[in-house]
Amino acid sequence: MGDMANAACMADGFDRIQKLPDPVTGCPNFRRVPGFKVYCCGQPTIAGFENALNKVCGDTYPKDGKIIWFNLRQEPDVYVNGEPICARHQTRLESMLNWVMLQEILQKQMKLNS
């Protein structure tokens, strides 16, 4: 499957995604790496981005420098009404798209844009 027209859309969040104490609304499993100003989380909602930044810049983790947000997802993600949605294979919703498929998608997109 190399054509996004054949992909299925799947909500990126799900019930009981939160596994850690002290949840940040919309930012699943937000946490700080002990001893470092490095934070981790699942794919946040748009409101979750703001909630995480408010926590990092607030009293709990005072901001004293630049904030750089890395997203290490391998598969594409889009936001619909503030909620993250990812593309999945129609018959294997539980599996992430493979890298070969993602490369095909990106190559087609680059050809369309050139």
Side-chain angles (χ1 to χ4, degrees):
M1 180 178 125
D3 185 357
M4 285 305 289
N6 295 322
C9 293
M10 186 177 98
D12 219 1
F14 53 88
D15 289 338
R16 294 179 281 175
I17 190 172
Q18 182 67 38
K19 303 293 183 192
L20 302 175
D22 304 319
V24 173
T25 304
C27 194
N29 299 309
F30 179 83
R31 65 241 185 236
R32 181 178 180 177
V33 177
F36 298 92
K37 293 179 184 179
V38 175
Y39 308 88
C40 308
C41 67
Q43 190 67 36
T45 63
I46 295 294
F49 277 112
E50 187 171 336
N51 293 337
L53 290 172
N54 285 337
K55 184 165 185 170
V56 170
C57 297
D59 296 333
T60 305
Y61 305 116
K63 179 184 181 294
D64 59 1
K66 292 181 180 181
I67 294 175
I68 301 171
W69 191 289
F70 288 98
N71 187 331
L72 301 178
R73 287 190 70 104
Q74 183 177 355
E75 59 191 354
D77 217 21
V78 296
Y79 284 83
V80 177
N81 296 325
E83 299 292 323
I85 306 290
C86 61
R88 295 291 172 99
H89 191 284
Q90 287 181 346
T91 60
R92 295 188 307 266
L93 293 177
E94 73 287 349
S95 300
M96 290 190 293
L97 297 176
N98 65 42
W99 183 244
V100 172
M101 180 182 174
L102 291 175
Q103 286 178 317
E104 290 174 6
I105 294 165
L106 292 172
Q107 287 172 352
K108 285 182 182 184
Q109 188 63 41
M110 287 189 301
K111 285 179 185 176
L112 290 173
N113 292 333
S114 52

